[in-house]
Structures are given as C-alpha cells and as structure tokens.
Amino acid sequence: MTTTPTPSTKPSTSPGKSLGLALLAALSAIPLAGCRGERTDASPRQFFPDMDKQQRWDPQEASDFFADGRVARPTPEHAVAFASAEFDVAAHADKAWAEGYMAERAAMLKDNDAVYTGKVVESDGFESYLDAIPVTVSREMIERGQHQYNIYCVACHGFAGDGAGMVGKKWSYPPANLTGEVYRDRTNRQGKDGYLFETILNGVWAPDGTNKMPGYKHALNEMDAWAVVAYLRTLQKARGSSWEDLTPDQQAKLGRPTPASASPEAGATEGGNS
Ligand code: HEC
C-alpha cells in the first residue's frame, strides 16, 4: 500500500468566506425571484447577444459573398445523393454494421409504401389496407408496443383496450373498444392491421372535420405504430381466447384449467362499442 501524505485538516473555507458566499447566494436569488411569473413587454435581456444573433444564411437566400449571388452552393461533381449508391450487404465484411446501415437507410428513405403507409395499391389501381403487419413481429416489438400503448392510448382506451380509460370516460366521443369484434376481424376494413396503423398515426376525423381522436405522429414513428398494432392483437387475444385456442404444448405447460379460468370471458358481457 502506498502512503500518501494526508493534507492538513484545516477547513477549506474560513467562516468569513462562507458568510460572504451565503450573502452572495441570497443576493443572486433576488433577481430570479423577482422575475418569476411576471410579464413584461420589454425586450428580453441578452446575456450572450452573439449567441442570440448569429450570422447565418437561410436556405435559398441571396448573398453577395459568392460570385453567383446565391447562398446555396452547387453540388460538387460526382457527388452521390444519400442512399442512392448500390450497397451489397452480403459482400460487406461487417454484416451487423451493414444491416444496421441498411435499416437506417430504409427508415430515412421511407420508400416502402406498405411499411410507411399501411396500404397497398391493388391491381385495379385502388389502395387498400394491409391485412397484416409488414415487418417481422418479435417479442421485443410487442413489448415496445405495450410501452407506447401504456403511454399514449391507455388514458382513453384503458389498459384492457376496452375503451374505459379515465380520460376516455369523460371524452366527448366514446373511445372504441379495441378488443371488440370490429377490430378483430381482418376481413373487415377496421380489423386490418393497416387500418389500425393509420388510425394510430392520423387519429379519427369525422366527415365534417371534427377530430374525435388525436393522431400520434408527433410521438410515434411508423415502427412504433406497427408495434402498437402488434400489442393490440395481443390484447385482443388475451381477452377473447379460450382454452381450446392453446396448442396441446401450451395446455400441457399450464395444466388442466378449472372451469372458471378456462374461459375468461365466460359470463362477461361484451363491452359494446361502435
Ligand atoms: C384522447 C382520447 C384518445 C386517445 C389518447 C386515443 N384514442 Fe383511439 N379513439 C378515441 C375515440 C374517441 C375513438 C372513437 C372515434 C369514433 O367515434 O369513431 C377512438 C378510436 C380508435 C380506433 C378505431 C378507429 C375506427 O375508425 O374505428 C382505434 C384503432 C384507436 N382509437 C386506437 C388508438 C390507439 C392505438 C391509441 C394510442 C396510440 C389511441 N387510440 C389513443 C380516443 C382516443
């Protein structure tokens, strides 16, 4: 063990110094307290004016700095637009990196209509909603969906998805019961994954333009929206399923059910909505 010389145990601040510090702290609190909650039409104080008012150019602005009078500089010769270059993932030495790069690139380009709009163009030229989630569903994805659902949807639609959230009960329009048959049945327009996806991002609008449910584009990206769709499907399964829906393996794992636990819906009335 190395012995380091202990510094002398003199207090680092003398009593006079700490009194001065306390006074300084008290004084500096006065202007802060004075500003709280007050409104003024005077121009704001600028402590760093050069940060507030920086020299900059806006896009497309004119400038006499460059000979051509434009701020925008011409693209250098042979420049390649982002993500337009050929890229062979298989040929890349670092596969994980290459796949990550391609995922990032796809997210930026959004050139997959199915994934980013939830719709496909049919042979007749009309768009229709996708029946199923167009990306691979994983456990992590469902958990992500649950996390986002519990933040953004629970207030109105409730933890069970039945539309009985605390805000939902007082909302001007009754929130839909997302575990109801309308949203389970994929042969139905409102039961398609693409429709649910679109609702999450754009909300629900009445024909007269009234917003009945806000959209969540500002908070959820497309991957989040698909994750929420996946979670909605698990909520539906969790409510309306019976012992017979389980595979023999799953039944064996859980053991024989008591009559009451065999069917969670037994005796319950269907929470009706829209
Ligand atoms: C502020 C309350 C509120 C929040 C939060 C909310 N919704 Fe809704 N939602 C509603 C209402 C109200 C309706 C019913 C609109 C109507 O009358 O058609 C609805 C309807 C729906 C529908 C059915 C749409 C249709 O056309 O049938 C889906 C699906 C849905 N919500 C999903 C969600 C999801 C997922 C979230 C979270 C991302 C969410 N909602 C958040 C209020 C809300």
Side-chain angles (χ1 to χ4, degrees):
M1 203 182 99
T2 48
T3 49
T4 38
T6 14
S8 67
T9 49
K10 217 175 73 183
S12 56
T13 47
S14 63
K17 204 169 166 192
S18 41
L19 189 72
L21 279 175
L23 204 65
L24 191 70
L27 281 177
S28 53
I30 291 170
L32 287 179
C35 293
R36 277 193 63 184
E38 262 176 40
R39 276 193 48 80
T40 171
D41 291 327
S43 48
R45 286 190 189 84
Q46 289 182 315
F47 297 106
F48 301 103
D50 56 339
M51 290 188 79
D52 284 338
K53 298 186 160 62
Q54 298 179 35
Q55 286 201 321
R56 64 175 174 85
W57 280 315
D58 287 332
Q60 312 285 337
E61 202 178 311
S63 153
D64 45 21
F65 183 80
F66 295 109
D68 62 1
R70 295 188 295 179
V71 157
R73 307 317 305 139
T75 315
E77 212 183 326
H78 307 306
V80 178
F82 176 80
S84 65
E86 295 280 322
F87 189 83
D88 186 357
V89 175
H92 205 277
D94 187 345
K95 278 272 145 56
W97 180 89
E99 275 163 12
Y101 168 74
M102 285 311 270
E104 234 172 68
R105 191 167 133 157
M108 196 171 249
L109 288 179
K110 301 195 177 189
D111 64 357
N112 183 330
D113 283 349
V115 173
Y116 291 96
T117 66
K119 292 178 201 154
V120 279
V121 179
E122 302 286 353
S123 50
D124 58 9
F126 286 104
E127 280 184 330
S128 66
Y129 291 107
L130 288 186
D131 282 346
I133 299 172
V135 292
T136 316
V137 176
S138 65
R139 193 190 172 92
E140 288 76 51
M141 179 183 175
I142 295 172
E143 280 167 359
R144 168 94 185 143
Q146 177 179 33
H147 181 83
Q148 301 296 58
Y149 179 89
N150 287 352
I151 293 173
Y152 297 108
C153 320
V154 154
C156 289
H157 291 282
F159 281 101
D162 56 5
M166 291 305 279
V167 173
K169 287 183 189 165
K170 310 237 165 194
W171 197 246
S172 323
Y173 310 94
N177 170 13
L178 304 177
T179 60
E181 196 48 40
V182 199
Y183 304 108
R184 280 168 187 265
D185 182 0
R186 285 168 204 258
T187 61
N188 187 16
R189 184 167 164 273
Q190 284 158 289
K192 294 193 191 296
D193 285 350
Y195 183 83
L196 301 175
F197 169 86
E198 196 190 64
T199 305
I200 291 166
L201 295 179
N202 297 330
V204 180
W205 299 81
D208 68 357
T210 314
N211 184 212
K212 297 169 116 185
M213 169 188 143
Y216 285 87
K217 242 187 209 150
H218 61 283
L220 304 173
N221 65 25
E222 291 85 355
M223 292 307 148
D224 286 334
W226 287 123
V228 172
V229 173
Y231 181 61
L232 284 181
R233 294 300 185 202
T234 59
L235 275 183
Q236 292 174 346
K237 271 259 186 267
R239 275 179 76 83
S241 302
S242 65
W243 182 252
E244 284 68 39
D245 292 333
L246 299 176
T247 63
D249 268 6
Q250 290 167 330
Q251 288 182 352
K253 216 167 163 185
L254 290 170
R256 283 223 62 77
T258 58
S261 67
S263 166
E265 291 277 86
T269 45
E270 171 82 6
N273 208 316
S274 58

